[in-house]
Amino acid sequence: MSWDSVWKIALTVVASFGGIAGIIAVVIKFCANQITDRLNAKYEASLKKELERYKSSLSKSEHVSKERFDREFTMYQELSEKHMTVVYDMGAAVMITRGNQYPGYEKTTDFVHLAAKHLDEAEMMNKRYAPFISKEIFENYKGLGNQAYSIISLLDLYDRFDNQVASDNQVASVIKYNNQSYTKVQAKQEIEDRQKTLSKLSDELLDKLRDYLSGLGAVEDK
């Protein structure tokens, strides 16, 4: 084949593509398609990497959320159990002033020591968990403990009326406690009034705990 023939064929091909401009357009289109394919592949790889990173982060977040829920639920469960024992003890204190005995304890002083022990355990747990629980709930438990302490003290005072005698060897009718004078009847009434207040505080605190733990559960479910 002569160079004239080759040149004619080349010109024919160029003409079929619309001249030199057509060839340039085809080349540009081909290159653009190649670049687009590479960019798409790179973008897809980057997107896949980001999605995997997000999924990993989400998994860690869910794990932390569940860990937090389990930890806080356990702490509040223990606190609730300890303080409910105290609440029951204060109910028993009222029954003692009505002439009943606490099962297994013949002397009121022995029960006072038991109730004081339960209260001390509850307060120590509240202080130990203080950095990890709601401040409001911590303060509520603290207030409940203070109320219980006053009831135990009054019960001890109530019991002293039967054991303490006046200077004339008569049973004392009035005993001073905390800069206030009490008769046995007044001490009994004060114990009942404070127990009712404590019971109401306990119910309100349990409601707050339910709401708070329900909120944690909702976060975990998400």
Side-chain angles (χ1 to χ4, degrees):
M1 181 181 294
S2 65
W3 282 107
D4 288 341
S5 298
V6 171
W7 183 247
K8 288 179 181 179
I9 293 172
L11 290 176
T12 302
V13 170
V14 170
S16 67
F17 281 104
I20 295 298
I23 292 178
I24 293 174
V26 170
V27 171
I28 290 175
K29 182 178 181 182
F30 174 77
C31 292
N33 288 336
Q34 291 292 316
I35 293 172
T36 300
D37 290 342
R38 290 182 181 179
L39 286 176
N40 285 338
K42 186 176 180 180
Y43 175 74
E44 287 177 3
S46 176
L47 181 60
K48 185 177 180 180
K49 186 176 180 180
E50 287 298 321
L51 285 173
E52 289 298 324
R53 185 182 302 170
Y54 173 73
K55 285 169 63 179
S56 176
S57 174
L58 187 61
S59 177
K60 290 179 180 177
S61 176
E62 290 175 348
H63 177 72
V64 169
S65 178
K66 186 177 186 308
E67 286 289 321
R68 178 190 172 193
F69 175 82
D70 291 343
R71 183 175 65 252
E72 291 200 38
F73 182 86
T74 299
M75 286 191 294
Y76 285 123
Q77 183 180 35
E78 292 176 355
L79 279 167
S80 178
E81 289 174 355
K82 286 289 185 183
H83 284 84
M84 283 309 298
T85 298
V86 172
V87 172
Y88 291 143
D89 285 346
M90 299 309 105
V94 172
M95 298 307 296
I96 289 173
T97 64
R98 295 177 181 176
N100 297 291
Q101 282 188 349
Y102 189 79
Y105 292 82
E106 293 183 3
K107 295 181 179 180
T108 300
T109 51
D110 292 336
F111 171 75
V112 167
H113 293 154
L114 175 68
K117 178 177 177 291
H118 289 162
L119 177 57
D120 184 60
E121 290 174 351
E123 289 185 331
M124 287 301 296
M125 180 175 286
N126 193 35
K127 291 177 181 177
R128 187 165 67 248
Y129 288 161
F132 313 105
I133 63 176
S134 162
K135 183 177 180 181
E136 180 184 8
I137 293 177
F138 168 79
E139 293 294 342
N140 288 160
Y141 272 130
K142 185 177 178 181
L144 190 148
N146 292 337
Q147 193 71 20
Y149 178 79
S150 68
I151 295 173
I152 294 174
S153 300
L154 285 166
L155 180 62
D156 181 59
L157 174 70
Y158 178 87
D159 185 57
R160 283 161 50 192
F161 278 101
D162 295 330
N163 301 315
Q164 183 171 321
V165 295
S167 57
D168 57 357
N169 292 326
Q170 296 296 318
V171 175
S173 59
V174 177
I175 297 178
K176 284 190 175 182
Y177 167 72
N178 208 18
N179 297 322
Q180 185 174 345
S181 296
Y182 286 92
T183 64
K184 190 174 182 178
V185 173
Q186 287 174 331
K188 178 178 181 294
Q189 187 61 51
E190 188 79 5
I191 289 171
E192 292 186 358
D193 292 344
R194 288 181 180 271
Q195 190 275 332
K196 290 178 182 177
T197 300
L198 179 138
S199 182
K200 183 179 179 182
L201 287 174
S202 176
D203 290 343
E204 291 174 350
L205 183 50
L206 288 176
D207 287 339
K208 289 180 182 178
L209 277 177
R210 290 190 193 96
D211 292 342
Y212 182 76
L213 291 174
S214 296
L216 286 180
V219 170
E220 182 193 20
D221 292 339
K222 291 179 180 180

